[in-house]
Amino acid sequence: MPESDRSAVVLGASVAGLLAARVLADFYRTVTIVERDVLPERPVSRRGVPQGALPHIPAARGMQIMGELFPGFLDELVLAGAKVWNDGDLSRLCVSFNGHRLLSSGNIPDPSSVSMYYVHRPFLEWSLRRRVTTIANVQIVQGHDAVGLRSTRNGDRVTGVVAARRDSGAQIDLTADLVVDATGRGSRAPVFLDALGYPRPREDTLTVNVTYAGVPIRLRPETLREYIAFAAPQPDRPRGYAMFAGHGDTYMLAVQTVAGHKAPADHASLLDSLAEMAPPHVLAAARRAEPLADVTRYRFPSNRWRRYDKSARTPDGLLVIGDALCNFNPLYGQGMSVAAIEALVLRDCLRHGDRDLPRRFFRRSAKDIRVAWRAAVSSDLALPQIAGRRPASIRIANAYMERVLASAESDPALVQQFMRSLNMIDRPSRLLRPSMVLRAFKASRNRGGAGTDLGQKPEISSQPKSPETAPN
């Protein structure tokens, strides 16, 4: 238990908010989570997480961090029926990027180097929430919206939160030495800052206009060997699909479109769209599956990074975390893992005290966010349908990645390194190690050449330039 008499308030009982509360419980006497929803007692989708009914799993790095913050948590998920890929068996994966299907037979060289847990978002969040509610100094106030911040008279420090009941509007004041905003993409922190006399943060954006149409399904045992069947949108096909295993015999199935292309509206049209992309055995499994709900649609307009790290002035006592700080195209599965990384950054910052905490937290977080941001934006800009500036660094990176993916069709070592980078265990720069570059080019030569020459500009449609979309 912490020895101080300080209190903290977390806005939002999302994955980001729950992980932040877990960290804060070690440093503050009381931690109060303010959540707008009345939280379900079972692992079901809720209004505040509209993407929860879609294929949605954290990267391996995020799961590692959850296991660190909650010892035994990962074993609990597996005992509850979650799937885990930790034996390197490539037949469990059916993954395609940019038209290249990664090797799906044999094993990766070091099976212990990647462990992926397949658990659907509602079950994961519910399991985390059960763990957090067992922490003696953490409480959750449900059914309340944060409607404002309290501050010192001169506005240099946030001192609490004004919350209102969603059913009646009745307000309560919560005093806090630290407020952490984890309310997601709809965060009102910029509005609250404006009311306190602070400038709103700069926003870096890349518009992608993604639409998901998805449905939870149940498969009979052994209907599908793969834990994941996935194909990303590609230049000649601005659609992709995902079919992820979860606990028990359930899967999440979805079709994704980009750049405003129309997504399926019902189960029949979803399967028709899937027929254009999925291998025959995956399509057959989807057609035989039992739908467990109606088709859910979810729209994601843009990657957006609110650059609090660039703000000249921010008040003490206020942090922003998770999607409220930066959110990415859900295709890449980075959001929950970046939030988990930010929770560790918060822990490390608090170990050195709370002096100048916002500046230290935002600058430290930006270093990790930048890696994920560049990876997401570069991948999105590989699609000609996405408008944005494509500097030479992105064109060269995407051309090299084309070689890596082509080579990963047959090279298990490249599959392993790509999966480690995709799962945020390693930085993408690890794919640039001499041994990896040699493998990529050797495989390309053996195949008679693959991808775009690094000296050439890949073909992309003419797009308006937008300086804010370039990663920095």
Side-chain angles (χ1 to χ4, degrees):
M1 287 286 292
E3 296 181 358
S4 74
D5 292 324
R6 299 179 303 167
S7 61
V9 170
V10 178
L11 307 181
S14 61
V15 168
L18 294 170
L19 296 178
R22 166 63 189 88
V23 167
L24 294 171
D26 289 339
F27 298 91
Y28 291 83
R29 177 65 64 180
T30 62
V31 179
T32 302
I33 303 173
V34 178
E35 169 53 45
R36 58 171 290 169
D37 287 348
V38 175
L39 296 168
E41 296 182 359
R42 299 182 297 111
V44 296
S45 298
R46 60 186 180 90
R47 183 177 180 181
V49 188
Q51 72 275 31
L54 299 168
H56 200 53
I57 59 172
R61 178 60 179 139
M63 297 303 289
Q64 287 177 353
I65 294 171
M66 293 178 202
E68 177 183 343
L69 293 176
F70 299 97
F73 180 68
L74 301 183
D75 291 338
E76 289 176 8
L77 293 179
V78 175
L79 287 173
K83 307 292 192 301
V84 58
W85 185 73
N86 57 5
D87 60 0
D89 180 1
L90 291 171
S91 70
R92 291 289 188 184
L93 313 180
C94 178
V95 177
S96 296
F97 281 92
N98 206 23
H100 300 287
R101 181 171 171 179
L102 306 189
L103 181 65
S104 57
S105 61
N107 293 76
I108 59 175
D110 181 6
S112 64
S113 66
V114 186
S115 294
M116 297 172 62
Y117 288 80
Y118 292 90
V119 53
H120 301 320
R121 170 66 182 264
F123 190 82
L124 175 66
E125 185 181 292
W126 176 77
S127 300
L128 285 172
R129 190 163 65 243
R130 291 208 313 170
R131 275 298 200 102
V132 168
T133 55
T134 65
I135 303 174
N137 59 329
V138 177
Q139 64 172 331
I140 302 179
V141 176
Q142 304 180 38
H144 283 71
D145 277 319
V147 296
L149 298 176
R150 297 296 190 197
S151 71
T152 54
R153 181 169 297 181
N154 61 6
D156 64 342
R157 170 176 283 277
V158 169
T159 59
V161 175
V162 181
R165 287 184 62 98
R166 292 182 62 79
D167 57 1
S168 68
Q171 294 187 351
I172 58 173
D173 278 339
L174 297 171
T175 301
D177 298 280
L178 179 65
V179 175
V180 177
D181 181 358
T183 54
R185 186 178 177 88
S187 164
R188 298 187 66 198
V191 177
F192 295 156
L193 286 173
D194 189 48
L196 294 177
Y198 289 86
R200 299 189 184 197
R202 184 187 101 194
E203 292 187 355
D204 293 350
T205 61
L206 177 66
T207 299
V208 290
N209 286 327
V210 166
T211 300
Y212 281 92
V215 61
I217 57 177
R218 177 176 289 117
L219 297 181
R220 291 181 178 179
E222 306 305 323
T223 300
L224 188 68
R225 178 166 179 77
E226 290 90 345
Y227 294 154
I228 174 174
F230 169 85
Q234 56 196 59
D236 61 346
R237 190 199 67 210
R239 298 179 306 283
Y241 82 93
M243 191 167 167
F244 292 174
H247 61 286
D249 53 3
T250 60
Y251 277 70
M252 289 286 191
L253 169 64
V255 167
Q256 179 204 52
T257 65
V258 300
H261 286 258
K262 186 177 179 180
D266 53 39
H267 191 70
S269 58
L270 190 154
L271 291 175
D272 288 343
S273 183
L274 188 67
E276 304 172 7
M277 299 177 283
H281 74 288
V282 174
L283 178 62
R287 290 193 184 279
R288 291 198 299 267
E290 174 194 357
L292 300 177
D294 292 333
V295 169
T296 296
R297 289 164 65 95
Y298 172 68
R299 291 180 173 85
F300 179 84
S302 61
N303 299 281
R304 183 175 66 191
W305 185 2
R306 286 175 168 148
R307 301 303 303 268
Y308 290 98
D309 60 304
K310 300 290 187 181
S311 296
R313 297 171 54 241
T314 56
D316 285 334
L318 177 66
L319 301 180
V320 182
I321 197 170
D323 283 359
L325 178 55
C326 185
N327 54 62
F328 314 85
N329 185 338
L331 171 71
Y332 309 116
Q334 298 171 305
M336 287 186 280
S337 292
V338 170
I341 291 170
E342 290 164 357
L344 292 191
V345 171
L346 174 59
R347 183 184 66 181
D348 292 344
C349 288
L350 287 171
R351 284 175 173 171
H352 292 87
D354 60 1
R355 182 176 180 181
D356 203 20
L357 179 61
R359 184 187 65 83
R360 290 188 291 119
F361 172 79
F362 289 131
R363 291 187 179 182
R364 283 276 308 277
S365 294
K367 294 179 180 179
D368 292 297
I369 292 171
R370 186 174 293 111
V371 176
W373 177 263
R374 285 176 171 168
V377 167
S378 294
S379 295
D380 284 334
L381 289 174
L383 299 173
Q385 296 86 359
I386 303 299
R389 186 166 65 91
R390 293 164 170 82
S393 59
I394 285 181
R395 297 199 304 271
I396 292 171
N398 284 343
Y400 175 65
M401 186 55 65
E402 176 72 11
R403 287 188 179 271
V404 169
L405 292 171
S407 302
E409 293 181 18
S410 57
D411 187 335
L414 277 173
V415 175
Q416 175 176 298
Q417 187 56 62
F418 177 75
M419 294 300 290
R420 284 179 61 84
S421 298
L422 185 68
N423 279 276
M424 306 179 73
I425 301 169
D426 290 337
R427 291 176 179 258
S429 58
R430 295 281 288 182
L431 284 165
L432 295 173
R433 287 182 300 167
S435 61
M436 291 293 107
V437 173
L438 182 63
R439 298 187 80 96
F441 277 81
K442 182 179 179 180
S444 295
R445 286 197 302 271
N446 291 342
R447 290 166 52 89
T452 306
D453 289 341
L454 296 185
Q456 286 186 312
K457 179 178 179 179
E459 289 188 11
I460 57 175
S461 60
S462 177
Q463 302 287 359
K465 293 186 177 182
S466 176
E468 73 274 15
T469 61
N472 55 33

